[in-house]
Amino acid sequence: VDLSAQGAGGGSLRDDSVAGGTGTSATVTGFNTSTDTIASATSSPAGTFLGTSSSSGGNTTLHFVDGSTMLIVGVANVSSITFTA
């Protein structure tokens, strides 16, 4: 997913759970920590990320509670990401 194609105004990524959808992975580029958000009813129901994360090489990998992962390219620190339900 390339969020830079969104232009100004920001975007929101949502992890919609689907049957058999656990354990999937996604890579996100163009994520702007000033305007973009990650929405998850299961992994951040109160705006706090309940999964785990790891950072390497200036990128952050989010490990959601359903086993899915999301690599955020160019974001080195999970604390700079805004999470919503």
Side-chain angles (χ1 to χ4, degrees), residues 32-64:
N32 183 333
T33 57
S34 298
T35 57
D36 297 330
T37 62
I38 296 176
S40 173
T42 57
S43 291
S44 61
T48 301
F49 187 59
L50 301 177
T52 61
S53 65
S54 57
S55 295
S56 177
N59 306 311
T60 295
T61 301
L62 303 174
H63 306 273
F64 292 87

Side-chain angles (χ1 to χ4, degrees), residues 1-13 26-38 58-60 70-76 80-81:
V1 177
D2 182 0
L3 290 182
S4 64
Q6 292 276 332
S12 181
L13 296 172
T27 299
V28 177
T29 59
F31 191 88
N32 183 333
T33 57
S34 298
T35 57
D36 297 330
T37 62
I38 296 176
N59 306 311
T60 295
M70 182 182 292
L71 173 65
I72 312 293
V73 176
V75 177
S80 63
I81 300 171

